[in-house]
Amino acid sequence: MGLNCHFMTKPRKHRKRLELEALLDSIQNLEKDGKVETSNELQASIIAEASKQRGHYQSRQLEKRHREAAKQLRSKEEIIIRRADKTAAFVIMAKEEYLSKMDTILSDTSKFKKIRRNPTEDIKKKINATCRAINIATKSTRFPKLTGEFSPGYAYGNVKTHKTGNPLRPIISQIPTATYTVAKKLNEILAPFTPMSHALTSTNDFLEILRTAPPAENHIIASLDVESLFTNVPVNRTIQIIMDRVYRCEETEPLDIPEEDLRTLLEICTKEAPFTCPRGDMYCQVDGVAMGSPLGVLFANFFMGTIESMALKDQQPSIYARYVDDIFIRVKNIDELQKLKQQLSNISGLNFTFEESQEGRLPFLDVLVSPQDSGFNTSVYIKPTNTGLCLNGNSECPQRYRRSTINAYIRRAISHSSTWKNLHNELERITQVLVNNGYPNSEVTQAINCALEKWYNPATTSANQNNINLYYRNYMSTEYKTDERVIKDIIHKNVKPTNADQTISLIIYYKTSKTANLLIKNRQTPPPAPLQEDHVIYEHTCAIEDCGPHTYIGMTRTKLTRRLTCHLQNGAIKNHYTVKHKETLARSHLEDSTKILDKETDPRRLLFLEALYIEDLGPTMNTQAQDLQILPTQKRSNRKNNT
């Protein structure tokens, strides 16, 4: 089945209703802003659809024996299963070897510092204080307050099977950290200031440079590579580069965010974010930017963009193009190449390696480049590590997902091939690759013919730029097409844009489980105890014998143990024990009689999910009408009735 085979799984309780509530909430917000109008039947249609269950979720691809085999393999303590770097393959290696290689990476004290105390709460307070100061100082940029529970990130490594000794590429996931959302916001704000004179944003940019470059006789092509750019980016120096670029550049208007506040946020997000290693120890990265950080590419582009503008001031190769840490150049001779390499190294303090063309050919990104008298010959480059695996053709996912995989191969073949011979050879290759991955030969051939027809006769229609996009997550079942058709009909009939020049576009997406989920686990530390879980729906049942039983359902974004402490102070549970039983609520009552019903990381959906459980189970300690008001369907109903 490969690493990327999708299979159906039954969604957890209330999930369809939850996603419809989220969709309705988005529509109501648009209506509040005056962008859409809705009919009186919208709410009833949404509620009716939420109760429908069509088809089934039982995978026909993945059998019980497959799950058991994967479970047994992953449970073996002496091995660990990782992804190979830059290729779709599994790597099974001795766990101690993996841990030892991660230890070696983290032992570099110039990059990483071991810490004993979890600084997450202090970081959260520091970020909120800085964001509050920014929000007071400026109205153009708003930073939301951090609420809820956060935890350290976690480090893991992917195996570089294409390099001697199979070293690891370290990745530090910062998704659970307090710095993650702020780092994403900073990336959004600072991206327009990035020096991009020589930077590529895609392979298409590179191909356009090759197509328009004037011929240069007796020149050579080569590629330069920055060794471990992300981990070696000097953070303090790069932050100063960003400050100068944002506040003291004549080409752009400076941000109205106070400079010191922006500097503080950048330093917190790069130098203070904690993470755990596979052994469970805690670190923070004091220099360099981790892969996995939202600021990684931004810092790399700011630093390299500034360095190359200095290095190229006095000497300019006929072609110089960089994609993050890979550089393509065309120079007169090897001496010019060596001189440029040394210049970049001296200014940056980083190490550069270079690769000359072999037999007149050089791979760069996913393009194989060959100079010719009239320009360049280009074709698709396939790395030696490529295993030929892609989304499996037997995957249980929407047909359009499989078709998009085929079309992606075809589009690349057409865009990268400069001659008919190259295109023909690549189309033959990808046909075999797709057939090997379970796609019918007839389907591939049809897609190729359709793509070539469009290339011969390009359409003149332009994309509608006035769409109002609505997003809905559906769950893959045997009747997913019917589900999609029904929800599209509901939106089409009941939601209209107020501007006649706009259209409503409903984008339905899926997050189907993949075979990789059965085997690979990036986070090696054990899961937290129930009381240490956060973003959960919980149920407390009265611990006193012969009591009903009376129950309470709640949600918390903080750790459950912290939420239970709040219940000891006041609220419905304490009132129940005091009034009904004349007893003082004890910690043991709460811990022994509280269980987790569900989990949801999205704060908005968590609120809706709590209300759905209250509506379903009818807990006697909750105030039903008040607790259900959070549901968009309930809000809508009451507003109509009041009218």
Side-chain angles (χ1 to χ4, degrees):
M1 298 179 195
L3 188 74
N4 194 20
C5 184
H6 294 221
F7 59 91
M8 290 188 295
T9 53
K10 187 175 181 179
R12 299 201 301 271
K13 193 174 183 180
H14 299 308
R15 252 41 194 192
K16 181 173 182 178
R17 172 77 181 273
L18 175 62
E19 294 304 325
L20 286 168
E21 293 283 356
L23 174 61
L24 182 57
D25 183 56
S26 299
I27 294 170
Q28 288 177 355
N29 288 334
L30 289 170
E31 187 175 29
K32 184 179 177 181
D33 293 338
K35 295 182 178 180
V36 301
E37 296 174 348
T38 63
S39 73
N40 294 337
E41 288 73 36
L42 177 61
Q43 175 212 339
S45 299
I46 291 287
I47 294 175
E49 175 58 20
S51 64
K52 302 288 177 58
Q53 293 293 333
R54 304 181 184 92
H56 65 80
Y57 304 99
Q58 182 65 42
S59 174
R60 292 168 293 191
Q61 179 79 349
L62 199 71
E63 301 174 16
K64 183 178 180 180
R65 63 189 179 94
H66 296 138
R67 294 177 185 272
E68 289 299 321
K71 184 177 180 181
Q72 289 179 23
L73 184 61
R74 194 170 75 165
S75 66
K76 292 181 180 295
E77 290 295 326
E78 69 274 15
I79 65 169
I80 193 165
I81 304 170
R82 295 298 321 136
R83 290 183 186 274
D85 187 51
K86 297 182 179 180
T87 184
F90 291 110
V91 176
I92 304 177
M93 64 190 301
K95 190 170 185 177
E96 275 307 311
E97 180 186 357
Y98 172 78
L99 295 175
S100 176
K101 289 181 177 180
M102 287 298 295
D103 289 343
T104 300
I105 292 169
L106 296 172
S107 65
D108 184 352
T109 55
S110 66
K111 300 289 188 297
F112 303 101
K113 179 175 72 174
K114 195 171 184 178
I115 55 178
R116 290 188 172 87
R117 190 179 70 86
N118 185 356
T120 296
E121 278 301 310
D122 293 339
I123 290 173
K124 179 181 171 182
K125 291 176 182 177
K126 190 174 178 181
I127 288 175
N128 277 335
T130 307
C131 291
R132 188 163 54 248
I134 291 174
N135 292 340
I136 292 172
T138 177
K139 295 187 183 299
S140 62
T141 305
R142 310 298 295 176
F143 283 85
K145 181 181 179 181
L146 296 182
T147 58
E149 200 74 27
F150 299 93
S151 60
Y154 51 93
Y156 59 94
N158 287 346
V159 188
K160 298 180 181 181
T161 54
H162 56 289
K163 293 197 174 181
T164 304
N166 299 322
L168 300 181
R169 180 184 298 280
I171 301 171
I172 303 174
S173 174
Q174 295 190 359
I175 294 175
T177 67
T179 61
Y180 185 72
T181 54
V182 179
K184 287 181 68 176
K185 182 73 173 178
L186 289 171
N187 183 68
E188 176 188 327
I189 293 169
L190 296 174
F193 295 90
T194 311
M196 299 292 286
S197 300
H198 302 282
L200 303 168
T201 58
S202 67
T203 302
N204 287 336
D205 288 350
F206 176 58
L207 290 168
E208 186 62 25
I209 289 174
L210 296 183
R211 292 189 188 106
T212 57
E217 293 184 7
N218 300 321
H219 279 50
I220 63 171
I221 58 173
S223 65
L224 287 168
D225 179 70
V226 190
E227 290 186 2
S228 304
L229 174 60
F230 279 68
T231 53
N232 288 317
V233 167
V235 170
N236 290 334
R237 186 177 172 186
T238 305
I239 289 177
Q240 187 57 52
I241 287 172
I242 293 173
M243 295 299 107
D244 293 338
R245 182 87 179 175
V246 170
Y247 295 102
R248 287 170 284 279
C249 180
E250 296 179 356
E251 301 172 7
T252 56
E253 287 290 325
L255 284 175
D256 57 355
I257 297 174
E259 182 174 345
E260 285 309 307
D261 290 333
L262 180 61
R263 184 189 295 273
T264 297
L265 288 182
L266 287 171
E267 288 177 346
I268 294 172
C269 292
T270 53
K271 297 166 65 177
E272 298 182 27
F275 65 91
T276 55
C277 72
R279 293 190 189 274
D281 297 323
M282 195 173 299
Y283 292 81
C284 64
Q285 188 167 355
V286 294
D287 203 10
V289 184
M291 287 193 68
S293 167
L295 294 173
V297 173
L298 182 86
F299 268 55
N301 279 331
F302 260 106
F303 183 70
M304 286 303 301
T306 303
I307 295 304
E308 63 198 10
S309 66
M310 298 166 64
L312 301 176
K313 198 171 184 180
D314 298 325
Q315 59 171 20
Q316 181 75 46
S318 57
I319 297 179
Y320 180 99
R322 175 180 54 83
Y323 185 80
V324 189
D325 58 349
D326 293 319
I327 304 168
F328 179 90
I329 57 175
R330 184 175 67 180
V331 290
K332 296 175 183 177
N333 49 50
I334 192 67
D335 291 337
E336 184 181 354
L337 173 62
Q338 291 279 17
K339 183 179 178 182
L340 178 60
K341 171 182 172 292
Q342 192 61 47
Q343 183 88 339
L344 288 167
S345 183
N346 291 342
I347 297 173
S348 67
L350 303 178
N351 291 326
F352 288 75
T353 59
F354 70 87
E355 177 185 354
E356 293 184 74
S357 59
Q358 299 294 323
E359 299 178 353
R361 300 187 301 172
L362 179 76
F364 186 77
L365 301 181
D366 58 349
V367 182
L368 186 62
V369 185
S370 302
Q372 292 182 330
D373 293 339
S374 58
F376 293 94
N377 180 299
T378 60
S379 59
V380 175
Y381 173 65
I382 307 301
K383 293 183 179 180
T385 55
N386 188 296
T387 57
L389 294 175
C390 63
L391 174 69
N392 193 280
N394 296 311
S395 290
E396 294 166 335
C397 63
Q399 177 62 26
R400 61 180 178 272
Y401 283 27
R402 293 193 289 271
R403 179 54 68 90
S404 68
T405 299
I406 299 173
N407 289 340
Y409 274 110
I410 298 170
R411 282 195 302 270
R412 185 175 68 167
I414 293 173
S415 66
H416 290 26
S417 301
S418 60
T419 68
W420 284 111
K421 181 181 178 181
N422 292 346
L423 177 58
H424 174 74
N425 291 340
E426 179 60 13
L427 291 177
E428 282 196 331
R429 188 194 72 82
I430 65 175
T431 298
Q432 188 61 58
V433 166
L434 291 164
V435 169
N436 291 347
N437 281 273
Y439 292 84
N441 199 339
S442 58
E443 184 180 359
V444 178
T445 302
Q446 181 186 18
I448 290 174
N449 292 337
C450 183
L452 291 176
E453 178 65 27
K454 288 181 179 179
W455 185 79
Y456 275 121
N457 303 295
T460 56
T461 55
S462 58
N464 189 346
Q465 300 298 319
N466 290 319
N467 279 353
I468 297 176
N469 291 331
L470 293 171
Y471 297 89
Y472 172 68
R473 177 184 177 180
N474 198 22
Y475 288 89
M476 188 64 194
S477 74
T478 54
E479 295 294 329
Y480 80 93
K481 290 183 180 179
T482 304
D483 286 341
E484 289 190 4
R485 185 177 68 252
V486 170
I487 193 62
K488 285 181 178 179
D489 285 344
I490 291 173
I491 300 303
H492 177 72
K493 292 176 182 177
N494 298 289
V495 184
K496 305 293 182 185
T498 54
N499 184 343
D501 294 330
Q502 292 184 312
T503 58
I504 302 291
S505 178
L506 178 64
I507 300 170
I508 300 176
Y509 66 97
Y510 298 79
K511 291 184 178 179
T512 318
S513 295
K514 294 187 282 189
T515 43
N517 303 139
L518 298 173
L519 292 169
I520 294 177
K521 185 170 61 173
N522 291 333
R523 198 172 202 163
Q524 295 299 312
T525 52
L531 287 176
Q532 299 302 314
E533 294 271 18
D534 55 78
H535 290 82
V536 298
I537 307 295
Y538 62 92
E539 180 183 48
H540 173 74
T541 303
C542 180
I544 306 300
E545 292 184 10
D546 303 324
C547 181
H550 288 280
T551 59
Y552 176 88
I553 289 177
M555 71 87 188
T556 179
R557 284 183 285 175
T558 64
K559 286 184 171 62
L560 180 56
T561 183
R562 183 179 297 183
R563 180 61 181 147
L564 296 184
T565 301
C566 295
H567 282 302
L568 288 172
Q569 309 303 318
N570 53 54
I573 297 178
K574 182 180 180 182
N575 292 340
H576 173 81
Y577 280 81
T578 303
V579 175
K580 186 172 180 63
H581 301 294
K582 309 296 188 227
E583 285 200 20
T584 302
L585 178 63
R587 182 84 188 186
S588 58
H589 290 143
L590 293 170
E591 292 188 359
D592 296 341
S593 303
T594 301
K595 65 179 180 180
I596 293 175
L597 297 176
D598 213 330
K599 298 183 67 176
E600 175 57 55
T601 55
D602 179 64
R604 181 180 64 148
R605 284 175 169 78
L606 185 64
L607 287 170
F608 298 160
L609 191 58
E610 177 195 29
L612 292 175
Y613 270 99
I614 291 171
E615 182 182 66
D616 179 33
L617 300 178
T620 53
M621 296 187 203
N622 294 76
T623 306
Q624 304 291 335
Q626 180 179 339
D627 290 328
L628 295 179
Q629 287 302 303
I630 192 65
L631 288 175
T633 49
Q634 293 289 330
K635 287 180 183 178
R636 182 72 173 173
S637 175
N638 286 348
R639 190 172 68 187
K640 292 287 184 185
N641 292 337
N642 291 339
T643 302

